Amino acid sequence: MKDYKILFTGSVCSGKTTAIRSLSDIETLDTDASASDVTVRRKKNTTIAMDYGVLELTSDARVHLYGTPGQERFRFMWEMLACEFAHDAIGMVLMVDNTRKDPFRDIRFYAKEFSDYLLKRRLIIAVTHSDVEPSPDYQEYLSALKNLGIMTTVMFIDARDPRAVLGIVEELISAVERNIDWDSVCDRLLDNNGFTLDFYKPLYEETLLDAAMNKRGVLGAMHLGDEQEILCSNIDDKPTKNLMRNIDRLTDAISDKAGFLGKVNNVVLAGPDVQTLSVFNDKSQSLCLCSDRDISLPVLKQQASDLLQWSIENDYLA
Amino acid sequence: MKELLGKVDEPGIIDCSCLLKGKDVIVSSFSKSKRNHETIAKQTFSYLFLNVAKQKTKHDEAHLEIGEQRLSGFLLKPGLVLVCLSDKNLNITKVRSHIQHIKHLILQSEVDKMLA
Ligand SMILES: Nc1nc2c(ncn2[C@@H]2O[C@H](COP(=O)(O)OP(=O)(O)O)[C@@H](O)[C@H]2O)c(=O)[nH]1
C-alpha cells in the first residue's frame, strides 16, 4: 500500500474541515454528534484535534489528509504536524478565505510560518468563499504571488464540493502516481461510499493541570469537584492539599449560609516565604493553585478565571 | 482600641475593620448593616488561621471575596487577627500596604494593654 499525505492549512473558517470532510461518506460525518449528551459529565482533559481523513485512490494507494487546528493557541501543533504526522507529505494546501480583509496577508503569513516545510514540497493555494466574495480574482492572485516571489498553483474551489477538493488531491498526486482512475474515485466519492474516514484524530491531550502549569508563577494545581473530591492534582504536599480542601469546604459553607451576601469567588492565603494558596470557585468545581508569592493577586485571579473557563469549555467538548 | 480602628479605616480603601481574638470580636467598626460580613469574617478567619496553625504553614494573610466585597484577615500574632472590609475591585496592594503601615501600632497598643 502506498500512502501519500497532504497537509491542509489556513485561517479559521477557510474551509479546512469542510474540505477534508467533503471527501467523506455522509454517515461518518456525525460521529461526534453524541457529544452533547455528555456535557454533564465533567471532563478533566480535552483532546485537541486535527482534522484527518483517508481517501482510497486505488486498491493499493491512499492519501491521508491532515488539517492544522486553526486557533492561535494551538500554534505549537503546527510544528508537530509538519515535523511528525505530515513530515513526509507531498504537498501543502493553503486554504485562503476570499472574504478575509486581506487574503494576501494570510498567504504571506502562512508562507512564512511554513517556509522551511515548503522548501521540500509543493504548495497549492486553494481560494474558498469566492462565491461570496469574488474579488480578488484569479489574475490578481497570480500577480500578487508573483510579487511575493511565490511559485505556486492557485485553484478556486468551494470546500463543500467534493469534486473541487478532489481536484486538489489530483493536482498533487497525479504527478507521482499515474494509474489512478480519478473519475471513478470521484464517482465513488459522490456515491458516498468506500471511504474510511476518521475525523478528529487525537493529537495531544492537554489536561487542566498542564494548562495551569503553563501559567506564569503557578507551581501546583488541584481541581476539586462538588464534594471536595480531588479530580486531579499535582500538589504533593499533604498539608497544603488538606488546607485547600478545607478552604473549599469553608467557601461552600459560607455560600450555603450567607448566599444573600453574594457568591464566594475566591479565598487567597498569603504570607512571607510561603507559596500563595488560592481557591477559586465556579459552580460545582473549584480550582486550587499554589503560586509563587510574587505573583500579584489580580494576575492570579485572571489566570484562575482563564483556567476555569477552559475547564467549562472542555465540558462541552467532552 | 476604638481609635486604633479609626486609623485602620480609610475612606476609599478600608470601609470598616475589627479585631479578632480567638473566636471573639474584641473591637469593631462594622456598622449594623455590615454585621453579616463581620460574622462571616469571624468564622472564616478563625477557621482559616486555625487550619494554617494545624498544618504548620506560615501564611499570615487571607482574603475572601464575597459578592462585591473583600474581607481580609491579617494575623498580627497567634490568636490575634485584624479584619478589614474593602471593595473587591480595589487593588489589594493598597489594603496591604495600609495595614503594614498600621500593624505595629495595633501590636504596640496590645502590649500596652497587657502591661497596664
Ligand atoms: N460559501 C462558501 N462557504 C464555504 C466555502 N468553503 C467552506 N465554506 C463554509 O465555511 C465554513 C467554515 O469552514 P470550516 O471547514 O469549518 O473551516 P476551517 O476552520 O478552516 O476548518 C463552513 O460553514 C463551510 O461550510 C466556500 O467556498 N463557499
Side-chain angles (χ1 to χ4, degrees):
Chain A
M1 179 67 84
K2 272 194 207 148
D3 288 291
Y4 297 101
K5 294 178 179 178
I6 298 175
L7 179 62
F8 289 77
T9 191
S11 64
V12 174
C13 275
S14 57
K16 301 176 294 290
T17 307
T18 312
I20 292 175
R21 285 191 172 195
S22 65
L23 298 181
S24 95
D25 165 36
I26 297 298
E27 300 308 325
T28 55
L29 271 180
D30 293 322
T31 46
D32 61 344
S34 61
S36 56
D37 309 339
V38 282
T39 51
V40 261
R41 192 166 50 83
R42 186 161 302 289
K43 193 169 183 283
K44 281 169 249 124
N45 51 19
T46 181
T47 302
I48 296 170
M50 61 179 172
D51 293 307
Y52 171 72
V54 186
L55 169 60
E56 293 198 4
L57 300 171
T58 66
S59 55
D60 59 3
R62 58 188 179 184
V63 56
H64 301 258
L65 312 164
Y66 297 88
T68 58
Q71 295 103 308
E72 277 291 308
R73 61 180 291 242
F74 300 146
R75 275 272 285 281
F76 68 95
M77 292 195 8
W78 296 1
E79 197 176 311
M80 208 190 268
L81 268 166
C83 299
E84 288 176 33
F85 292 89
H87 72 97
D88 50 353
I90 62 163
M92 183 173 101
V93 180
L94 170 53
M95 315 271 299
V96 180
D97 176 352
N98 219 32
T99 64
R100 298 266 290 178
K101 211 157 80 201
D102 185 356
F104 299 141
R105 213 187 98 188
D106 287 351
I107 295 180
R108 286 196 299 273
F109 174 77
Y110 285 95
K112 187 155 171 269
E113 282 291 313
F114 287 94
S115 58
D116 286 344
Y117 191 69
L118 289 171
L119 287 176
K120 281 183 267 153
R121 49 185 66 75
R122 264 188 82 187
L123 170 68
I124 289 191
I125 291 184
V127 181
T128 59
H129 295 81
S130 61
D131 51 323
V132 183
E133 176 54 69
S135 162
D137 65 14
Y138 182 72
Q139 284 307 326
E140 290 171 282
Y141 268 90
L142 288 190
S143 51
L145 287 166
K146 204 169 150 202
N147 288 338
L148 289 171
I150 300 175
M151 294 275 288
T152 179
T153 309
V154 179
M155 301 173 82
F156 274 57
I157 65 157
D158 186 321
R160 297 165 300 181
D161 178 0
R163 284 163 304 187
V165 185
L166 188 64
I168 301 177
V169 175
E170 181 176 353
E171 176 72 24
L172 284 167
I173 306 277
S174 59
V176 287
E177 183 77 46
R178 297 193 182 274
N179 49 3
I180 295 172
D181 182 352
W182 291 99
D183 287 340
S184 78
V185 175
C186 187
D187 287 345
R188 216 179 59 213
L189 249 183
L190 296 176
D191 284 347
N192 294 324
N193 56 44
F195 297 92
T196 47
L197 262 145
D198 261 335
F199 291 111
Y200 298 120
K201 191 171 181 161
L203 187 53
Y204 174 78
E205 297 261 325
E206 188 187 43
T207 64
L208 177 61
L209 296 184
D210 296 333
M213 298 313 281
N214 279 330
K215 302 273 179 194
R216 188 162 60 92
V218 173
L219 305 167
M222 177 161 74
H223 193 194
L224 298 179
D226 222 356
E227 309 276 328
Q228 282 81 41
E229 75 277 18
I230 299 180
L231 298 172
C232 58
S233 165
N234 58 14
I235 298 171
D236 294 327
D237 186 49
K238 217 160 173 195
T240 304
K241 271 197 238 62
N242 287 340
L243 194 53
M244 302 228 253
R245 287 174 79 187
N246 283 343
I247 293 175
D248 193 41
R249 205 164 280 140
L250 170 82
T251 60
D252 277 3
I254 299 175
S255 299
D256 256 10
K257 292 218 178 101
F260 56 90
L261 291 180
K263 202 168 145 298
V264 178
N265 299 304
N266 60 67
V267 174
V268 177
L269 267 182
D273 313 319
V274 275
Q275 291 179 10
T276 300
L277 306 183
S278 51
V279 177
F280 295 85
N281 293 306
D282 191 275
K283 298 185 193 88
S284 60
Q285 62 172 347
S286 299
L287 176 68
C288 308
L289 297 176
C290 297
S291 328
D292 190 295
R293 62 178 293 270
D294 294 330
I295 292 295
S296 75
L297 292 189
V299 169
L300 194 61
K301 272 165 73 173
Q302 186 57 48
Q303 292 176 336
S305 98
D306 289 352
L307 289 166
L308 284 167
Q309 192 56 38
W310 181 99
S311 150
I312 290 168
E313 276 168 15
N314 288 328
D315 259 10
Y316 297 107
L317 291 175
Chain B
M1 281 312 264
K2 196 94 187 174
E3 305 90 77
L4 263 179
L5 292 187
K7 287 203 175 114
V8 175
D9 299 352
E10 178 83 28
I13 302 182
I14 290 167
D15 299 338
C16 50
S17 55
C18 68
L19 208 51
L20 291 181
K21 198 167 192 173
K23 287 186 179 171
D24 302 315
V25 177
I26 50 174
V27 56
S28 169
S29 67
F30 276 75
S31 64
K32 222 181 188 140
S33 64
K34 289 278 191 280
R35 259 309 126 73
N36 284 318
H37 285 89
E38 189 192 87
T39 309
I40 299 274
K42 188 169 79 175
Q43 292 174 352
T44 299
F45 296 122
S46 57
Y47 175 86
L48 277 181
F49 288 117
L50 201 72
N51 262 279
V52 164
K54 249 196 230 157
Q55 309 293 347
K56 298 194 171 52
T57 72
K58 285 193 195 140
H59 297 93
D60 64 358
E61 185 185 316
H63 306 275
L64 169 102
E65 275 185 21
I66 180 161
E68 290 307 302
Q69 312 273 286
R70 180 199 296 126
L71 283 163
S72 303
F74 296 87
L75 188 70
L76 302 178
K77 61 174 198 181
L80 191 69
V81 179
L82 174 66
V83 173
C84 39
L85 183 79
S86 56
D87 186 293
K88 89 165 188 206
N89 296 316
L90 176 78
N91 191 336
I92 199 140
T93 45
K94 283 201 175 152
V95 176
R96 259 188 188 151
S97 59
H98 182 67
I99 296 302
Q100 229 44 40
H101 187 70
I102 226 128
K103 210 164 157 176
H104 69 277
L105 282 180
I106 298 181
L107 283 174
Q108 187 56 46
S109 102
E110 269 286 300
V111 172
D112 291 349
K113 220 174 62 188
M114 280 193 293
L115 292 177

